[in-house]
Amino acid sequence: MINRLLGHFFAVAGIALMASAPVQAQQKFVNVLTGGTSGVYYPMGVALTQIYGKAMPEAKISAQATKASAENLNLLQAGRGEIGFTLADSLSDAWKGNEEAGFKTPLKKLRGVAGIYPNYIQIVASADSGIKTLADLKGKRLAVGAPKSGTELNARAILKGAGMTYKDLGKVEYLPFGESVELMKNRQLDATLISAGLGVAAVRDLSTSVKIVMVPVPADVIAKVGDPAYQAATVPAKTYEGQDTEVQTAAVQNFLVTHEGVPADVVYAMTKSMWENLDKLVAAHAAGKAITKDNALKGSPVPLHPGAEKYYREIGLVK
């Protein structure tokens, strides 16, 4: 009798679970993979969660602080995020499977959403260090970003273009922006290389605390990097306190990327709502001013996600 009752109970429970399964499956999750909290990706990512929350009120939206580009791409490949920020060179390395850049195999599940703003390579030295050129970095203490981050890959590339490696430096610190700036304030670092949008909070903070020098990256060094993702650019005068002249440097485009497992309707909603709410990204960080539809589809090494393609077709960017 007891066995029959238990059997009946489990059968009813099983039917109830089966009945609720489709409801559970309809719950949408959007995890936005960003970067360190003192960079640009994080405030932009938080702004995206607010935009997506209004566009998809039925979805559970979150922003995750990460080590940025390489970690974001590996997480997307593993299905542990729905959209993430990345630099163009990291994205290219991920698609090809460049193990030295942190990708053991080609990440072929990645799909493009949008080209956004450029990252500027900002090499900031304390005036006391005597560093004025890339060659002056020899024997000095330099922070290069978190290990295998987009910033750190940029640091390797720029040093390579200048005919140098980490071995030429006095000390290499693998630190996020905020921590490197704190060490510079305490005279424990000579310089930091930051790859981010202009007006990054960490550099603004540093420039109001100590006298800084922005180290130029000349066009011939950029050419020697040998990667078309690196383009010549200029940091305008007065971007930071005490920076009175414009500075030549390199820029690398940023992208928003998803993966093939994210439903087309979700990616469509993310793409459409972002482009219709650019003012909120500008409010989150000044780098948002550089986001334009003209660059949405330029230079991505990965295929466009069908959900994003639907939106671009609607507005005439894809024929």
Side-chain angles (χ1 to χ4, degrees):
M1 180 67 180
I2 291 172
N3 285 342
R4 278 209 305 276
L5 284 170
L6 284 171
H8 177 69
F9 170 77
F10 286 124
V12 170
I15 291 166
L17 282 169
M18 287 171 67
S20 67
V23 177
Q24 293 294 322
Q26 287 167 13
Q27 172 71 64
K28 291 174 182 171
F29 294 90
V30 175
N31 186 23
V32 182
L33 304 169
T34 63
T37 53
S38 56
V40 178
Y41 287 174
Y42 186 77
M44 284 251 188
V46 170
L48 281 180
T49 64
Q50 293 162 355
I51 293 168
Y52 296 161
K54 288 184 179 175
M56 296 176 279
E58 77 289 358
K60 186 172 181 181
I61 317 283
S62 58
Q64 180 178 339
T66 68
K67 292 176 183 172
S69 298
E71 183 177 8
N72 291 351
L73 296 170
N74 281 313
L75 286 170
L76 288 170
Q77 176 75 12
R80 292 169 57 196
E82 282 61 52
I83 192 163
F85 291 80
T86 182
L87 279 163
D89 54 335
S90 296
L91 184 56
S92 178
D93 285 335
W95 187 249
K96 291 182 286 193
N98 180 347
E99 191 163 355
E100 193 177 313
F103 308 106
K104 292 178 182 175
T105 57
L107 306 190
K108 294 300 183 182
K109 292 181 182 178
L110 300 177
R111 295 293 180 268
V113 174
I116 43 174
Y117 64 92
N119 258 26
Y120 289 75
I121 312 297
Q122 299 166 64
I123 305 175
V124 186
S126 64
D128 291 346
S129 70
I131 298 168
K132 292 180 181 175
T133 68
L134 287 171
D136 293 336
L137 289 171
K138 288 182 180 177
K140 301 291 186 178
R141 301 165 297 178
L142 176 70
V144 295
K148 297 286 202 281
S149 64
T151 293
E152 201 251 314
L153 297 178
N154 289 168
R156 292 187 200 198
I158 295 301
L159 289 173
K160 173 190 159 192
M164 296 161 63
T165 69
Y166 288 167
K167 290 177 182 175
D168 294 303
L169 303 173
K171 188 176 186 183
V172 178
E173 293 281 7
Y174 298 90
L175 295 170
F177 304 164
E179 289 178 38
S180 67
V181 162
E182 288 307 312
L183 286 186
M184 284 187 69
K185 287 181 188 175
N186 296 329
R187 308 292 194 269
Q188 293 172 278
L189 264 184
D190 298 307
T192 182
L193 184 147
I194 287 177
S195 177
L198 292 177
V200 67
V203 182
R204 283 208 315 269
D205 174 32
L206 179 66
S207 68
T208 58
S209 303
V210 300
K211 285 192 74 174
I212 64 165
V213 173
M214 290 207 77
V215 181
V217 180
D220 63 322
V221 168
I222 298 167
K224 287 171 187 168
V225 170
D227 184 334
Y230 290 78
Q231 297 290 319
T234 303
V235 179
K238 306 289 186 185
T239 299
Y240 301 105
E241 188 84 26
Q243 182 229 326
D244 297 327
T245 58
E246 65 176 35
V247 179
Q248 278 187 299
T249 193
V252 181
Q253 186 74 353
N254 283 288
F255 287 89
L256 281 171
V257 181
T258 185
H259 63 82
E260 64 182 13
V262 181
D265 64 322
V266 173
V267 178
Y268 173 81
M270 290 194 295
T271 310
K272 179 180 169 72
S273 62
M274 185 202 79
W275 286 114
E276 291 181 352
N277 291 278
L278 281 183
D279 58 322
K280 291 184 173 58
L281 295 182
V282 173
H285 198 284
K289 293 175 185 174
I291 302 175
T292 69
K293 285 179 184 170
D294 290 345
N295 294 323
L297 302 175
K298 286 181 184 173
S300 175
V302 304
L304 198 58
H305 190 286
E309 185 180 333
K310 179 187 175 188
Y311 172 72
Y312 293 125
R313 202 173 289 282
E314 283 178 1
I315 63 169
L317 278 184
V318 173
K319 305 299 180 191

